[in-house]
């Protein structure tokens, strides 16, 4: 049983509507990865699927300016504004790393209208595992 569409020949190679469904995300997880060279902010939903991300380098900063707190703040704002438009209201924050941008990124996240459930530091700490590399000679 087939249906015929009137004037089908006139609508050749034209997309009728968007096939991609826009996801409404109300709760998510914000991952902040702060190193001395760059800061990466990734926003995921509760299942861990990436919704939005931004980094200091992708925000237009180059070289040593990527490691500054202002660059981390700009990256956090860029990542969060896209998910606020999708309806995110609550979030959990996971901060990893010891870079100078970790506090600035957290302050930028708190300034938005997202309610934070908790802030957790997930920086990997060795329990005296591997032997560290030799000290650098100057």
């Amino acid at each position: 049983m087939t249906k015929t569409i009137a004037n089908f020949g006139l609508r050749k190679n034209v997309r009728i509507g968007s096939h991609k469904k826009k996801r409404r995300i109300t709760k998510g997880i914000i991952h902040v990865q702060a190193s001395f060279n760059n800061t990466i902010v990734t926003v995921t939903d509760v299942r861990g699927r990436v919704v939005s991300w931004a980094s200091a380098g992708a925000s237009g900063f180059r070289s040593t300016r990527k490691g500054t707190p202002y660059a981390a703040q700009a990256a956090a704002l860029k990542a969060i504004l896209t998910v606020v438009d999708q309806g995110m209201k609550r979030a959990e924050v996971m901060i990893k790393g010891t870079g100078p941008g970790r506090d600035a990124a957290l302050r930028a996240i708190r300034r938005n209208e997202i309610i934070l459930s908790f802030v957790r530091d997930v920086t990997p700490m060795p329990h005296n595992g591997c032997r560290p590399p030799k000290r650098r000679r100057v």
Side-chain angles (χ1 to χ4, degrees):
M1 186 172 189
T2 59
K3 285 188 176 182
T4 57
I5 300 171
N7 298 333
F8 184 72
L10 298 175
R11 303 194 103 203
K12 193 173 183 181
N13 295 334
V14 176
R15 182 174 276 186
I16 296 167
S18 178
H19 297 285
K20 195 168 187 179
K21 190 179 144 196
K22 199 87 164 167
R23 286 200 311 240
R24 297 289 295 168
I25 297 142
T26 54
K27 190 169 187 236
I29 305 169
I30 302 171
H31 301 271
V32 178
Q33 192 173 346
S35 69
F36 289 105
N37 297 323
N38 203 354
T39 303
I40 303 168
V41 181
T42 310
V43 183
T44 65
D45 59 2
V46 182
R47 289 177 59 186
R49 297 179 294 187
V50 175
V51 179
S52 167
W53 70 273
S55 68
S59 298
F61 295 92
R62 288 282 162 250
S63 177
T64 54
R65 291 194 211 106
K66 289 193 299 184
T68 61
Y70 180 70
Q73 175 185 330
L77 282 174
K78 188 175 178 184
I80 286 169
L81 288 178
T82 56
V83 291
V84 168
D85 294 341
Q86 292 182 12
M88 184 178 275
K89 299 274 189 267
R90 303 182 142 274
E92 305 165 356
V93 180
M94 309 283 198
I95 299 180
K96 182 187 284 187
T98 57
R102 55 183 282 148
D103 295 332
L106 183 61
R107 272 189 231 111
I109 292 166
R110 280 187 190 268
R111 261 188 254 127
N112 283 294
E113 57 257 19
I114 296 176
I115 300 164
L116 299 182
S117 304
F118 62 83
V119 179
R120 181 176 289 165
D121 186 14
V122 291
T123 305
M125 294 292 285
H127 298 289
N128 262 358
C130 298
R131 181 176 174 155
K134 289 197 292 184
R135 294 281 169 227
R136 187 173 172 219
R137 295 193 191 101
V138 179

